[in-house]
Amino acid sequence: MRALRILAFAGVFAGLAATGLFAQARVAGPVSGFVYDRGAGRLRPILGIPGASLMGDPVESGYDLKLASIAPAQDAAIVVAADGVVHVLRLNTAAAADRTVDGLSMAPERIVYSPSGRAAALYAGGMVRTVAGLPDAPALGASFDLTAYSAPGALALSDDGAYLMFAAGGSMRLLSNAGDNRALLEAADGALAAFAPGNHDAAVVDAGAGVVLIRDAAGNAMLQPIAVADDSIRSPAGLSFSADGRKLLLASAGARGVSLFDLESGARSDLACDCAPGGLARMGNLFRLNEAGAEPLWLLDAGAAEPRIMFVPALKATSN
């Protein structure tokens, strides 16, 4: 059945028409988003619509990629070339937009976007530099020093780029660009954090505390328990707000699925997946649950009337 489906997809969707620089590439036909193929050191488009899509051929950028992170809106990507230079690539546009960031000398080990993707946190060697003005006018923003913490865990950046949450030393901490540094709540190793889009509300999932909503984390930081710790919460793989901020999404590797918490009604729904999610990355109106590779790519459509989890055939299958 999968082979028949793949053949049907191949007959429906057009490929990528690359012209010149990667940032000048245009895509023919509907595109659900982009993914980073670590094995190939390239970005790939997801050709088609949710539930009926394929990973397209790698898009040539003119250099190998050592690291890449795609913006939540799928309109840009921050990539690290093999020589360590950081580029900001504008996706799916004819505008020449392969840019570097003036004054940025670090080669990041981790890249974390704010909820809207207009700012990003770049981490390396205990330091975080933020980049604002994404995607069209990238510029250095705030700097956060985490060298006092030997192994900071989860990182989350607010949309204005002014606040950074991170897990370290048994707590979830909040840093501001003005130098404030305080603990929001106790948090064990493996705790995850997320900011809401457009404001300073936040959420934390922790094996002890469960799922906690933090109203105005930058101000009074009012803690609102959402769910007690259960098997899914004890093995979190990803945490994110929906694009409209009305739902909180939790991906669990141990429970092999995603839990959706309606922040207005308090209702919870659970979706099973034929996968062990490795993360929860916004991909336009979808959320990606794992990385591109030899296994199918799993996507969550949380905005549908009935949320669902779908797959995109694995890379090895698309080459046959």
Side-chain angles (χ1 to χ4, degrees):
M1 287 295 294
R2 182 175 294 180
L4 291 175
R5 183 179 294 182
I6 292 169
L7 289 174
F9 290 159
V12 173
F13 301 118
L16 184 69
T19 57
L21 293 174
F22 171 81
Q24 293 175 308
R26 288 193 176 190
V27 177
V31 176
S32 296
F34 292 83
V35 293
Y36 174 45
D37 178 0
R38 190 179 302 273
R42 294 289 186 273
L43 298 182
R44 293 177 181 266
I46 303 297
L47 305 176
I49 59 176
S53 51
L54 288 170
M55 278 183 269
D57 293 334
V59 182
E60 293 300 325
S61 58
Y63 43 81
D64 291 331
L65 306 183
K66 184 169 65 174
L67 180 66
S69 184
I70 302 163
Q74 303 293 283
D75 56 357
I78 296 176
V79 304
V80 183
D83 61 4
V85 175
V86 176
H87 299 254
V88 178
L89 304 179
R90 195 72 159 91
L91 301 177
N92 223 4
T93 177
D98 182 343
R99 297 186 173 93
T100 56
V101 182
D102 290 342
L104 180 65
S105 58
M106 69 189 300
E109 304 162 14
R110 297 161 65 184
I111 301 170
V112 177
Y113 282 96
S114 72
S116 72
R118 301 312 171 205
L122 281 58
Y123 173 88
M127 296 297 298
V128 171
R129 292 303 309 265
T130 64
V131 177
L134 296 170
D136 294 321
L140 284 179
S143 177
F144 299 95
D145 187 350
L146 307 186
T147 53
Y149 306 93
S150 58
L155 297 176
L157 183 68
S158 62
D159 254 343
D160 57 7
Y163 294 91
L164 182 77
M165 280 196 301
F166 68 101
S171 65
M172 187 64 69
R173 307 194 68 83
L174 180 78
L175 271 68
S176 77
N177 58 2
D180 298 328
N181 183 345
R182 58 190 172 102
L184 295 172
L185 73 164
E186 293 183 358
D189 291 344
L192 302 180
F195 272 104
N199 58 51
H200 294 144
D201 288 351
V204 172
V205 57
D206 171 68
V211 180
V212 179
L213 181 66
I214 308 174
R215 297 292 187 186
D216 189 18
N220 294 328
M222 301 295 294
L223 305 185
Q224 178 183 338
I226 298 297
V228 298
D230 59 19
D231 289 343
S232 64
I233 290 169
R234 293 190 184 98
S235 56
L239 183 70
S240 179
F241 286 83
S242 60
D244 60 11
R246 296 179 180 178
K247 293 179 181 178
L248 186 63
L249 315 175
L250 169 64
S252 169
R256 298 179 67 86
V258 180
S259 297
L260 296 85
F261 302 92
D262 189 311
L263 299 179
E264 295 178 352
S265 69
R268 171 179 176 172
S269 57
D270 297 293
L271 296 177
C273 181
D274 291 332
C275 66
L280 190 61
R282 187 180 153 208
M283 199 177 86
N285 294 322
L286 307 173
F287 288 85
R288 179 172 48 79
L289 304 182
N290 63 340
E291 301 293 336
E295 299 299 322
L297 189 72
W298 292 92
L299 306 176
L300 165 68
D301 186 354
E306 294 190 9
R308 57 180 178 152
I309 294 176
M310 308 154 291
F311 79 92
V312 179
L315 288 172
K316 61 181 181 182
T318 64
S319 61
N320 294 334

